[in-house]
Amino acid sequence: MERGGLVSPWQAAHRQIKRKKYSILDHNRLNKSKGSTLSNGGISLHSAVKRKLVEDKDYVFDKRLRYNVRQNESNCRFRDIVVRKEEGFTHILLSSQTSDNNALTPEIMTEVRRALGNASVDDSKLLLLSAVGSVFCSGLDYSYLIGRLSSDRRKESTRIAESIRDFVKAFIQFKKPIVVAINGPALGLGASILPLCDIVWASEKAWFQTPCATIRLTPAGCSSYTFPQILGVALANEMLFCGRKLTAQEACSRGLVSQVFWPTTFSQEVMLRVKEMATCSAVVLEESKYLVRSFLKSALEGVNEKECQMLKQLWSSSKGLDSLFSYLQGKIYEV
C-alpha cells in the first residue's frame, strides 16, 4: 500500500498483531499473510488496491497542525486530537498518532469526550469537528480491539463497550450545535455518529460506509435507529448489513450530509460558514438545538445503551469472538 493511502482496519489489525506478537486463539497463521482494503461499492477485503484515496496535497487540515498548534491551557493538551479555541467556536480535530487513519480507541474516545466536556462549559457558541489528514475517521481500531479481546475477553469487552457508550453519549448530550467537516472517508463509528451532530458538510472526496454485519459486529453510534430514520429502512439495511458505500453526493441526496463542497475550497467554505454561525446569539443557538433535539434525547440514549450491551455480549462470548477472529483471518488469507 502506498504511503498516504487508506489502510483498512484489517491491514492495521494484521500489522499490529504481528508487531506486538499477540496470540489470537489458535490463529497463528495471521503473521504469514497480506492485508486487504476497502473497495468501491461495498466491502471487498481481499483485493489489493494500490492507489491512494486522497493525495497529500489535497489535505483539508494540514498534518503540520499536529505540531504547530499552540495549546496553552492545560485542559486543552491532548495526544490524539487537536483543540483550537477560535472566536465564537471550539475546533476539535482528530489527529491520531497512535492509530491508523484516525481510528478510534478507548483512549482517543476519552480525549474527545474530555474536549466536548470543556467546550460545553466554555464561552464558545458551537463546536466544529474535523480531522487532520486525508481520512476523517476509519471507525474502531481493530488492531486494538483484537489485541485486547484476545488477552482478556470478559474484562476488555466491558471496558471497550462502555467507552463506546460514553463516547456516543457525549454527542447526544452536548447542548451546543455541532458542525462536522468530513474531508475524506468516514467509516464505521466515524460515520455512525454523524446523525448525532447538527450540521454535516462534506468534501466531494468524502465517502461513508458502516459494514457492521459484514465484519461480524452489530451497529453502534445509534445507527440502528438514526440510519433508518434518515436514509430509509432499505438503504440503512444495505449499509449496516452489506457494507453499502455512499458517495458524498449520495449521502447529501439522502439527508446524511447537508452540503458537499469542492475539495480545493472545502476548508474555506467550512470556515466561512462556521464563522458566520458564530456571530449568532449563543442563547438562540442552544435553545434552537434544544427544540430540535430534546424529544430525541431519551430515545437515543436508550438505543445507545442497547447497542453497546449487544457489543459487550458479542465480544464476551467465545462464539462471537471466534466468529470475528475467523472472519478476519479468512479475509487476510484471501488473495
Side-chain angles (χ1 to χ4, degrees):
M1 178 64 67
E2 296 182 23
R3 187 173 180 176
L6 175 60
V7 179
S8 74
W10 298 267
Q11 283 181 302
H14 178 56
R15 290 207 307 266
Q16 189 80 349
I17 294 166
K18 186 175 181 180
R19 183 165 60 248
K20 294 186 178 181
K21 298 182 180 179
Y22 285 128
S23 176
I24 303 174
L25 302 179
D26 295 321
H27 302 320
N28 294 325
R29 294 182 301 162
L30 283 170
N31 292 328
K32 301 178 182 178
S33 303
K34 294 181 179 180
S36 53
T37 189
L38 296 170
S39 65
N40 193 3
I43 189 159
S44 177
L45 303 175
H46 57 277
S47 60
V49 179
K50 303 273 186 183
R51 65 183 178 83
K52 292 183 180 180
L53 289 172
V54 181
E55 295 296 335
D56 290 354
K57 64 182 181 180
D58 290 328
Y59 279 9
V60 173
F61 298 104
D62 196 288
K63 282 185 176 180
R64 289 173 295 176
L65 279 171
R66 185 176 292 157
Y67 307 104
N68 66 19
V69 173
R70 295 186 62 186
Q71 299 175 328
N72 295 322
E73 300 178 25
S74 60
N75 63 354
C76 286
R77 292 174 185 161
F78 301 91
R79 183 183 62 177
D80 288 299
I81 64 174
V82 172
V83 178
R84 303 181 68 180
K85 289 299 298 296
E86 305 287 354
E87 186 175 353
F89 67 96
T90 299
H91 190 179
I92 298 176
L93 300 99
L94 301 177
S95 177
S96 178
Q97 300 182 69
T98 58
S99 65
D100 292 318
N101 300 310
N102 294 325
L104 299 171
T105 65
E107 290 73 24
I108 295 172
M109 288 187 281
T110 297
E111 287 198 344
V112 174
R113 285 197 297 111
R114 186 155 60 92
L116 287 172
N118 293 341
S120 68
V121 295
D122 65 16
D123 60 355
S124 61
K125 299 177 182 179
L126 64 143
L127 176 81
L128 172 62
L129 176 64
S130 63
V132 173
S134 59
V135 178
F136 175 71
C137 180
S138 58
L140 291 176
D141 187 330
Y142 293 96
S143 60
Y144 182 99
L145 184 69
I146 292 172
R148 293 290 183 169
L149 292 176
S150 62
S151 63
D152 192 339
R153 185 182 72 220
R154 295 191 181 279
K155 178 181 178 181
E156 291 300 323
S157 62
T158 298
R159 188 178 72 89
I160 298 172
E162 288 178 351
S163 294
I164 296 171
R165 179 199 64 194
D166 294 343
F167 172 73
V168 173
K169 189 175 182 179
F171 282 88
I172 296 172
Q173 295 184 338
F174 195 75
K175 295 181 179 181
K176 301 175 184 179
I178 301 176
V179 177
V180 190
I182 310 295
N183 59 303
L187 288 76
L189 190 58
S192 297
I193 61 171
L194 298 182
L196 305 179
C197 303
D198 303 292
I199 298 175
V200 181
W201 291 318
S203 163
E204 184 75 33
K205 289 190 174 183
W207 49 268
F208 308 85
Q209 194 173 40
T210 53
C212 302
T214 311
I215 57 176
R216 307 300 196 265
L217 295 178
T218 51
C222 296
S223 57
S224 63
Y225 176 82
T226 58
F227 275 28
Q229 294 288 323
I230 294 173
L231 303 172
V233 174
L235 181 55
N237 288 346
E238 270 198 290
M239 290 193 70
L240 297 174
F241 302 162
C242 308
R244 166 75 179 273
K245 173 181 167 181
L246 290 186
T247 66
Q249 290 293 349
E250 287 174 324
C252 186
S253 68
R254 301 306 292 260
L256 187 63
V257 168
S258 57
Q259 288 193 75
V260 177
F261 301 109
W262 193 247
T264 54
T265 60
F266 177 62
S267 59
Q268 294 92 327
E269 296 283 3
V270 168
M271 296 307 294
L272 180 66
R273 287 161 173 77
V274 169
K275 289 177 180 179
E276 185 176 359
M277 283 185 64
T279 64
C280 297
S281 162
V283 174
V284 169
L285 287 174
E286 189 168 325
E287 292 300 325
S288 296
K289 175 167 179 172
Y290 174 79
L291 290 172
V292 172
R293 291 278 186 177
S294 59
F295 74 98
L296 284 174
K297 184 178 176 182
S298 60
L300 292 173
E301 289 177 345
V303 170
N304 183 35
E305 289 284 347
K306 290 179 181 178
E307 286 181 344
C308 292
Q309 185 65 28
M310 188 70 70
L311 286 173
K312 176 183 173 182
Q313 292 175 3
L314 182 70
W315 292 333
S316 62
S317 71
S318 58
K319 185 177 180 180
L321 207 55
D322 286 349
S323 176
L324 174 62
F325 288 167
S326 297
Y327 176 76
L328 293 179
Q329 181 221 19
K331 287 304 176 184
I332 289 174
Y333 263 99
E334 291 180 8
V335 294

